[in-house]
Amino acid sequence: MTVSTEADAPVVRRLSTLDRFLPVWIIAAMVVGLLAGRLVPGLGAALDAISVDGVSLPIALGLLIMMYPVLAKVRYDRLDTVTGDRRLLVSSLILNWVIGPVLMFTLAWLLLPDLPEYRTGLIVVGLARCIAMVIIWNDLACGDREAAAVLVAVNSVFQVVAFAALGWFYLDVLPGWLGLPQTDLAVSPWQIAVSVLIFLGVPLVAGFLTRRFGEKAKGRGWYEERFLPVIGPFALYGLLFTIIVLFALQGDAITSQPLDVARIALPLLAYFAIMWAGSYAFGKAIGLSYERTTTLAFTAAGNNFELAIAVAIATFGVTSGQALAGVVGPLIEVPVLVALVYVSLALRRRWTGCAA
């Protein structure tokens, strides 16, 4: 007779109620946002008007609330163990800045050869590497927080330096070499730097200072056992608020063009599945732990949709097909990566032999 223990319970049962029903909350937030954007006259325009230098303040607020608790959990005194892992850093750079853009370019041309605006929008999405929501997906999947902080910071630096050059290469140079139609992308390094500063810099500094002064005043035990559980749920509250605002902004565009959305969704689904599964397999093959393999997979699969949408709107216009492709990005990415969080937790049980 086999005695069942808490450790034998399925992973999902061991999650908190908030985490266990995360897909329900996210789907509800997407529906609320889409309906609000569709049914409330002028709501999208009003939300979009609340912006500074092309950055939506409501979305920025939601992302700051979402990222702060997770970054406050990072043990910054352990970052040196990550920066010394060359396998992780080199793998992340190759996956994010070589494999990811090439894969999205290929899928966009293969699956959308007759829709140049949507194709261009997807290529822009592929160039915008994730610096925001990946933090929370990694945390929910029990990835390595310190590794996620380092990889996101590295991606942010590369984003500022390389985004404009890669946009020129994948939209102008490479298509020219292949005899394909070419497109120009007008984006300034300052616009990208502002995005990185707001969506990563502010919560990163806040999280670092909170841990530093919290531990100094009360000790690590109090900080991790008393303080972090209080602020932890706000990460998901911020995520749900961000999703509602994001889909309210573009609800009319998404719901009024369902067939176009379906066409755009197909290469996105393929992209997320291939990048995540390929990165996971690669991490395991080179001997990374479950935690760091999970971090590698989510940082490689996610994209900075905030930057992609802002660039598409600034370059091609708010009603352009490129902007719609950027908007459809999170519509597909959010539920897919939530599902992959649960896949990761199931893999964790097989990989490590424990569910907790």
Side-chain angles (χ1 to χ4, degrees), residues 71-83:
L71 290 170
K73 294 178 183 178
V74 172
R75 291 181 173 179
Y76 293 92
D77 56 352
R78 295 185 179 178
L79 292 185
D80 58 337
T81 65
V82 181
T83 56

Side-chain angles (χ1 to χ4, degrees), residues 83-136:
T83 56
D85 191 342
R86 293 185 179 180
R87 296 173 305 166
L88 180 65
L89 292 174
V90 173
S91 298
S92 179
L93 289 174
I94 293 173
L95 287 166
N96 275 285
W97 298 102
V98 179
I99 305 299
V102 168
L103 177 62
M104 188 68 90
F105 177 88
T106 303
L107 290 171
W109 274 100
L110 286 177
L111 299 177
L112 299 174
D114 57 327
L115 298 170
E117 290 190 0
Y118 298 154
R119 185 177 64 235
T120 297
L122 285 182
I123 293 172
V124 172
V125 170
L127 297 176
R129 311 314 301 167
C130 196
I131 64 169
M133 281 193 175
V134 70
I135 294 285
I136 199 167

